[in-house]
Structures are given as C-alpha cells and as structure tokens.
C-alpha cells in the first residue's frame, strides 16, 4: 500500500493510481520524457545553425530536456523536490520561448535576451519557493505573454505557417487532454495504462517544439538582414 503522503510529490491530481513499487505513476513519468526527446532533437538541430541561433537552439533544447527530467521525477518518485523541478522547468521553458520571441519583436541583442531569460527564471524560482500554489497563475501569465508575442511575430509574415498551425493544433489538443484527464475528470481511469495526462505530456512537448521551429524562420530573416 502506498503511503498517502507520497501523493504530494507524485501528481496527486493527475488521475493515475500510485504504484507500490517502481515508478509511482509509470505512464505519466515515462511520457514526460517526450519533452526530453524533443529537446535532444532541437539540440542536434543546432549543429546546422550559426552562432546566435545555435545558442537559442541549444538553450531551449536543454530546457526541454530539463522539463522532461523534472516531470519524470515528479510523477515517478516521492522526492520532495519533484514538484519544484516539475513546475520550474516547465515555466522556465515557456518564459524562454516568450523572451526569444519578444527579443525578436523588440530587436534586442542576444545577450540581453539571455540575460532576461536568466533574470526571469530566477524570479520564477523564488516565487515557486515562496508560494508553490501559484504555478497555474504563473503559467497563465506566461502563456498570455507568449500569445502576445506570437501575434506581433505573425504580422511580420515570416513565421513558418505549417509549423505554427501544428503547434496550435497540438497545444489545443493537449489542453483538452489535460482537463479531461484530471482526477475526477470524465476520462480519468486511475488503473488504466492509457492516461490522458500522459497524452498531454506528448502533445505539449510536440507543440512547444513545433512553435520553436516556426519562430526560427523569423530569426533566419533577421540573420539575412544583418
């Protein structure tokens, strides 16, 4: 029998029943690594990019890898650091994607963009340590910022349309999977191997990676103009 206290650090609201041995939530933990796989592919893709763009690809890809690991720890173990790792890595990844886009909109030097990424990530970490319950509020704020930067970028006409559409479709489906698969949700089956939250992981990873690829077209225009 699993000790009730372990739920606090193993996705207690994400439906899947906790196992007595091994990974506490196997489907949710293993599917988390979809973020890491996408991150590794982006890092490998960096080999074909020039200096500044290479730094964006390696940096963002590394955060995707960290997001997968953080989520794996959260769903797979009873480590007390699990929730922080899960929340911080995901929020930092969204923040980085938004800042890279915002930096393009404002014509910011890449050093200032990365400085903003580091400073904002530090603030996110402090907020999560002080008030872990505000994760959803922070996520909503960062998503709004990302959408705002996307609207401006779209006006440039250089976003890769196919990748952008793919990102929107994947994220829309991911959000649906997230809410219907919550504990008590209409598709929640705690003992099933097919977990909607696991599907959320895979779809969200695909959406973030697709959107990063979509915005690379805008950065390519910047390089050509410089």
């Amino acid at each position: 029998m699993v000790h009730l206290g372990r739920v606090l650090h193993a996705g207690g609201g994400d439906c899947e029943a906790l196992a007595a041995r091994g990974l506490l939530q196997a489907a949710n933990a293993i599917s988390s690594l979809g973020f890491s796989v996408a991150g590794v592919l982006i890092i490998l893709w960096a080999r074909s990019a020039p200096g500044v763009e290479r730094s964006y690809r390696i940096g963002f890809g590394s955060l995707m890898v960290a997001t997968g690991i953080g989520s794996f720890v959260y769903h797979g173990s009873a480590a007390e650091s699990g929730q922080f790792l899960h929340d911080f890595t995901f929020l930092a990844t969204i923040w980085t994607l938004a800042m890279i886009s915002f930096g393009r909109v404002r014509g910011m030097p890449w050093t200032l963009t990365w400085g903003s990424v580091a400073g904002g990530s530090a603030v996110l970490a402090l907020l999560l340590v002080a008030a872990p319950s505000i994760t959803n509020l922070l996520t909503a704020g960062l998503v709004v910022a990302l959408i705002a930067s996307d609207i401006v970028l779209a006006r440039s006409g250089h976003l890769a349309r196919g990748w952008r559409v793919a990102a929107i479709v994947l994220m829309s489906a991911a959000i649906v999977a997230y809410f219907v698969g919550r504990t008590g949700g209409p598709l929640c089956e705690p003992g099933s191997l097919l977990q909607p939250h696991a599907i959320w992981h895979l779809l969200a990873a695909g959406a973030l990676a697709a959107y990063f690829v979509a915005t690379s077209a805008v950065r390519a225009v910047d390089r050509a103009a410089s």
Side-chain angles (χ1 to χ4, degrees):
M1 184 174 181
V2 179
H3 191 281
L4 183 60
R6 302 178 80 186
V7 174
L8 295 176
H9 310 296
D14 299 325
C15 182
E16 187 176 6
L18 301 185
R21 298 179 181 178
L23 295 173
L24 293 185
Q25 291 184 320
N28 287 344
I30 293 172
S31 62
S32 297
L33 297 179
F35 288 100
S36 296
V37 171
V40 169
L41 292 176
I42 290 172
I43 291 172
L44 292 175
W45 182 43
R47 292 182 297 180
S48 63
V52 173
E53 175 63 13
R54 185 180 299 117
S55 76
Y56 288 143
R57 295 182 187 180
I58 292 175
F60 181 76
S62 297
L63 280 169
M64 287 284 283
V65 171
T67 296
I69 295 172
S71 187
F72 181 87
V73 171
Y74 176 64
H75 290 289
S77 76
E80 292 189 6
S81 60
Q83 182 171 356
F84 176 81
L85 291 172
H86 173 274
D87 296 350
F88 173 71
T89 52
F90 184 66
L91 290 172
T93 298
I94 299 176
W95 169 247
T96 299
L97 188 53
M99 281 309 305
I100 290 175
S101 297
F102 181 76
R104 159 60 183 86
V105 171
R106 303 298 298 176
M108 292 166 54
W110 69 271
T111 51
L112 181 56
T113 297
W114 278 123
S116 300
V117 166
S121 297
V123 171
L124 288 171
L126 291 173
L127 289 173
L128 287 173
V129 169
S133 61
I134 66 171
T135 297
N136 289 340
L137 180 61
L138 291 174
T139 301
L142 291 177
V143 169
V144 168
L146 184 60
I147 291 173
S149 66
D150 173 73
I151 292 172
V152 177
L153 282 178
R155 292 175 181 170
S156 71
H158 297 298
L159 277 175
R161 184 175 180 180
W163 284 105
R164 181 173 181 250
V165 170
I168 293 172
V169 171
L170 287 171
M171 187 53 74
S172 298
I175 291 171
V176 172
Y178 178 86
F179 284 107
V180 300
R182 299 294 290 167
T183 300
L187 296 185
C188 174
E189 293 288 344
S192 174
L193 291 176
L194 182 61
Q195 290 293 320
H197 195 77
I199 295 172
W200 143 262
H201 286 154
L202 298 175
L203 292 175
L208 291 174
Y211 189 72
F212 182 78
V213 174
T215 59
S216 69
V218 178
R219 298 191 295 274
V221 170
D222 286 348
R223 294 196 301 271
S226 60

